Amino acid sequence: MSSLRISSRESLYAARTKSHALPVSLDRRCTGIMSRPNLEATFLASALLAGPFDTASMLTRTKPLIEGRRAWLSRLVAQLVHRFGNNRPTQRNLIKYLEQNSSFQKARENEGFGIKPYLAATSFAPGRSSFADLQIPHWDTVADIAAWLKLEPSMLEWFADRKCLERRVQDGPLRHYRYQWVIKRGGNCRLIESPKPTLKEIQRRLLRELLNEIPVHSAAHGFRAGRSVQSFVQPHIGQTFVLKMDLKDFFPSIRPMRLTGLLMSLGYPENVARIITGLCSNCVPADAWNNYPRREAWEEMRRSEQLLRQPHFPQGAPTSPAIANICAYRLDCRLTGLAQAAGANYTRYADDLVFSGGPDFKRQADRFHIRVAAIACSEGFTVNHHKTRMMSQSLRQQAAGVVLNAKPNAPRRDYEQLKAILHRSIFEGPASQNRDRHPDFRRHLEGRMNYIGGWNPLRRDKLQKLFDQINWEDDSAVEVPAIV
């Protein structure tokens, strides 16, 4: 019989995939390409990860693959459940664990030891958690997602961009995002990464049918149905002391691997979880920094570049806010527990953290905010200490642009400024007041009126009277084209 000849590239590819549709004797022929323990650990890991990660299921899948004695297998599976729980680890981590496991190493020394490749595909298998009964799509393979999105698998891989080709592709149709720098109120710069239409529609569908089905912590109020700024500030109204803190670089600080791990705990195979993560993450190309608006702030630019040139969840993608709330679940749990221990309330709106309480909380505020920063750091976030505010009732207590002292209200400065704009628009015309060149200045003013009036109906009535006196007949003078 002629021997099977396999190239080095084919052997390495086979060892890294989960299907492993290869001859049983492959491990005997690849010893020069991949060490025997690594290949056998790969075959065993593929079988262990192919379904539910519990003792009975793993033993059912792996026993038929073992050549020689099998007594060690039960002990190894029990150790795996103790080490990883009921959630499947990544294949890389499991192979590393097997290569260092004493039970597996001793079994290799037995006469006739061998492991056959596992030929079946990996299946959707949720772990034992509160998320196990979610009404989410079940995908076993990348082809299942492609069919759900009505795309070819090759096109799906291109959109997922798991090799981060976006940061090396020249500006043009092959890029998935458009980039725009904006200057924030404090003078810092923010990069808006807007996905192009096809990718945006893919992300919106993932948001509607997958991400929105995953529950988040009750302390999270931003970007959630039924929650708003009003629900965010409500627990802190009329409190003796309010502590406001801010997380720096909130979206870029969340590593995509956190979403991959969460999706695997929901039951998705690793390859499927990585595809979903890739569809929601991005790497910023180098030429995007040519348009950085503050060239003199090179330290800030360098820090942003280090974050954004790596895979991250882009600010501008419809999926990023939901992913941020999901990945901040443990942060919210720990901060809620810390606040309860201190007799305080806690809510979070995106990167804004607010705590409030009575005199007892005020006395321990100096130590409390240090503990908050330590918890945030251990969860992968960084507190922007320049924005930390400690506000007693003698000061104006404010969060998310809302004054909290006695009842929620918009700042008086914002009200007076809008009233002055409306007053001048009556006598000088609205076009003269559109200094920021809003495409629809009328709707812009109505939006500001609704926000301020939502907190104070009396102010709303006064602003509405001024608004009704403006002459809007000359629309061409009001609608100013946006600057491209």
Side-chain angles (χ1 to χ4, degrees):
M1 179 181 293
S2 61
S3 61
L4 178 65
R5 301 185 62 183
I6 301 175
S7 67
S8 301
R9 187 170 183 175
E10 291 171 340
S11 301
L12 290 173
Y13 178 78
R16 292 173 184 172
T17 57
K18 293 187 177 181
S19 60
H20 303 301
L22 299 172
V24 173
S25 59
L26 179 63
D27 59 329
R28 303 293 184 257
R29 301 177 181 272
C30 296
T31 54
I33 302 164
M34 178 183 292
S35 62
R36 183 183 174 190
N38 192 6
L39 187 60
E40 291 167 339
T42 301
F43 288 163
L44 182 59
S46 298
L48 292 168
L49 298 174
F53 205 75
D54 58 75
T55 303
S57 299
M58 287 192 285
L59 287 175
T60 300
R61 292 193 302 271
T62 54
K63 277 185 177 180
L65 308 179
I66 306 301
E67 297 176 345
R69 298 179 181 178
R70 302 176 182 175
W72 57 273
L73 185 60
S74 299
R75 182 167 60 254
L76 173 64
V77 170
Q79 292 171 346
L80 288 174
V81 173
H82 177 74
R83 169 64 179 82
F84 297 104
N86 293 106
N87 296 326
R88 293 183 292 195
T90 64
Q91 186 177 36
R92 180 179 179 180
N93 288 341
L94 183 54
I95 291 174
K96 184 177 179 180
Y97 178 86
L98 292 175
E99 291 177 336
Q100 298 174 353
N101 182 269
S102 58
S103 298
F104 182 73
Q105 295 301 326
K106 290 179 181 178
R108 289 187 60 253
E109 299 174 359
N110 296 331
E111 185 72 23
F113 173 82
I115 300 178
K116 304 175 185 178
Y118 186 75
L119 304 180
T122 306
S123 63
F124 181 91
R128 296 179 185 175
S129 67
S130 57
F131 300 157
D133 298 326
L134 296 180
Q135 300 300 315
I136 56 177
H138 290 192
W139 300 312
D140 293 330
T141 64
V142 173
D144 293 341
I145 308 179
W148 181 72
L149 293 170
K150 298 180 180 179
L151 294 172
E152 292 294 330
S154 58
M155 287 295 294
L156 182 64
E157 288 281 359
W158 180 63
F159 280 116
D161 192 20
R162 291 193 283 179
K163 296 182 179 179
C164 294
L165 299 178
E166 175 83 5
R167 61 186 173 192
R168 298 194 294 271
V169 173
Q170 297 296 322
D171 189 12
L174 293 180
R175 281 194 180 170
H176 299 307
Y177 289 83
R178 296 185 178 94
Y179 303 94
Q180 180 184 7
W181 288 97
V182 296
I183 300 180
K184 296 187 289 187
R185 181 179 298 180
N188 294 334
C189 300
R190 172 180 294 164
L191 180 63
I192 304 299
E193 305 166 60
S194 302
K196 293 182 179 179
T198 304
L199 179 58
K200 181 178 288 187
E201 183 55 35
I202 292 173
Q203 292 175 346
R204 283 174 175 167
R205 192 171 180 192
L206 287 172
L207 176 65
R208 289 192 305 267
E209 303 190 35
L210 173 60
L211 298 176
N212 282 344
E213 296 297 324
I214 303 174
V216 300
H217 198 276
S218 59
H221 291 260
F223 316 108
R224 293 185 60 189
R227 301 294 181 93
S228 63
V229 173
Q230 186 172 3
S231 64
F232 167 62
V233 301
Q234 189 64 40
H236 312 292
I237 296 171
Q239 295 290 340
T240 302
F241 185 79
V242 176
L243 170 64
K244 178 181 176 297
M245 303 180 72
D246 180 85
L247 299 177
K248 184 186 300 184
D249 300 316
F250 182 56
F251 289 112
S253 296
I254 302 173
R255 296 293 90 189
M257 192 59 198
R258 299 177 70 168
L259 178 62
T260 301
L262 175 67
L263 292 172
M264 291 179 64
S265 70
L266 296 180
Y268 293 108
E270 181 180 352
N271 200 31
V272 173
R274 289 185 181 275
I275 281 286
I276 299 173
T277 302
L279 291 171
C280 301
S281 58
N282 183 41
C283 299
V284 176
D287 60 77
W289 303 93
N290 297 335
N291 300 322
Y292 194 83
R294 294 182 60 205
R295 305 300 299 181
E296 72 281 359
W298 63 271
E299 291 184 357
E300 176 191 338
M301 182 176 69
R302 178 60 175 165
R303 183 178 64 252
S304 298
E305 186 176 6
Q306 289 176 341
L307 285 172
L308 299 179
R309 292 292 301 277
Q310 301 299 318
H312 65 281
F313 297 113
Q315 187 159 351
T319 51
S320 294
I323 291 172
N325 282 336
I326 293 169
C327 293
Y329 183 86
R330 193 167 67 174
L331 172 72
D332 291 333
C333 288
R334 296 180 66 182
L335 292 183
T336 298
L338 180 66
Q340 290 176 350
N345 306 309
Y346 162 67
T347 58
R348 180 180 60 82
Y349 195 98
D351 55 356
D352 287 336
L353 315 177
V354 179
F355 306 85
S356 65
D360 292 340
F361 175 60
K362 181 179 180 180
R363 282 191 289 269
Q364 54 185 309
D366 288 337
R367 292 174 296 173
F368 184 86
H369 84 90
I370 295 175
R371 293 174 181 172
V372 171
I375 290 175
C377 182
S378 67
E379 293 297 327
F381 300 96
T382 303
V383 170
N384 187 350
H385 294 284
H386 295 290
K387 293 186 177 181
T388 298
R389 298 290 182 268
M390 299 184 182
M391 301 166 283
S392 60
Q393 282 188 323
S394 59
L395 303 174
R396 184 177 68 178
Q397 299 173 337
Q398 184 173 335
V402 181
V403 179
L404 310 174
N405 291 72
K407 60 180 181 179
N409 207 347
R412 185 171 185 83
R413 182 181 62 181
D414 295 349
Y415 166 67
E416 295 291 350
Q417 184 185 47
L418 180 56
K419 187 170 70 171
I421 292 175
L422 295 175
H423 186 270
R424 289 195 295 268
S425 296
I426 296 173
F427 296 98
E428 302 175 15
S432 65
Q433 304 305 310
N434 190 10
R435 295 169 183 173
D436 293 331
R437 300 178 66 83
H438 295 283
D440 192 340
F441 189 52
R442 181 170 184 166
R443 293 189 62 183
H444 169 73
L445 292 180
E446 289 177 335
R448 292 180 63 177
M449 288 169 52
N450 291 334
Y451 177 76
I452 294 176
W455 303 108
N456 192 322
L458 183 60
R459 286 181 174 180
R460 165 73 188 187
D461 294 340
K462 292 180 179 179
L463 293 173
Q464 187 65 49
K465 289 180 180 179
L466 293 173
F467 184 83
D468 292 340
Q469 299 178 51
I470 300 175
N471 181 12
W472 297 99
E473 293 181 359
D474 188 5
D475 293 338
S476 62
V478 179
E479 295 185 4
V480 180
I483 299 176
V484 180

